[in-house]
Amino acid sequence: MNKSSKFEGEQQNSRCGNGEYYYVLVPDREVLVSRRMAAFVEEQLSRWRKPKWIAFVDIFGSRVRVQSKMIWAVLQSNEEQRAAERAFERGCQQEFEADE
């Protein structure tokens, strides 16, 4: 098992929309992690011999342990990206409503 104790207590402000965080996508869940923790997860997934299990800490301080083969993606999310996505969604909604 990979130790993530050096990352314990790596909590960020949990207010939505505050700063940058990453999603670690696993079945039935999106785990929010810091940039540092995302780098750790990516490093483990990039190893020549991937570990069977990866343990890490989410932005709320919860310890997460998943099989490495169950990690589907690591996605970046910052304020600018979220604002652009919301604007895009609003534009699509307006376009949809205009078509009705």
Side-chain angles (χ1 to χ4, degrees):
M1 179 175 87
N2 291 305
K3 301 288 183 186
S4 61
S5 59
K6 62 183 174 181
F7 300 110
E8 295 293 341
E10 169 132 334
Q11 298 179 28
Q12 292 183 343
N13 185 335
S14 60
R15 184 178 148 268
C16 184
N18 186 23
E20 178 180 53
Y21 49 83
Y22 289 72
Y23 292 97
V24 176
L25 303 182
V26 297
D28 301 323
R29 187 165 176 211
E30 297 174 342
V31 183
L32 296 173
V33 299
S34 67
R35 176 190 297 208
R36 184 174 172 201
M37 193 58 60
F40 171 78
V41 171
E42 289 176 334
E43 177 185 312
Q44 296 301 303
L45 293 173
S46 296
R47 291 175 56 183
W48 182 70
R49 298 186 108 194
K50 288 186 188 89
K52 185 170 182 173
W53 293 88
I54 298 177
F56 55 93
V57 179
D58 69 12
I59 63 171
F60 307 107
S62 296
R63 184 173 163 83
V64 179
R65 184 174 186 260
V66 296
Q67 288 186 335
S68 59
K69 68 181 180 182
M70 301 305 285
I71 297 176
W72 294 339
V74 178
L75 306 172
Q76 179 185 23
S77 180
N78 63 39
E79 292 182 46
E80 295 81 22
Q81 291 166 331
R82 293 189 297 273
E85 185 175 352
R86 287 190 300 272
F88 178 80
E89 291 296 328
R90 283 191 297 273
C92 288
Q93 184 63 33
Q94 290 171 353
E95 184 178 317
F96 176 76
E97 291 170 357
D99 288 344
E100 289 185 335

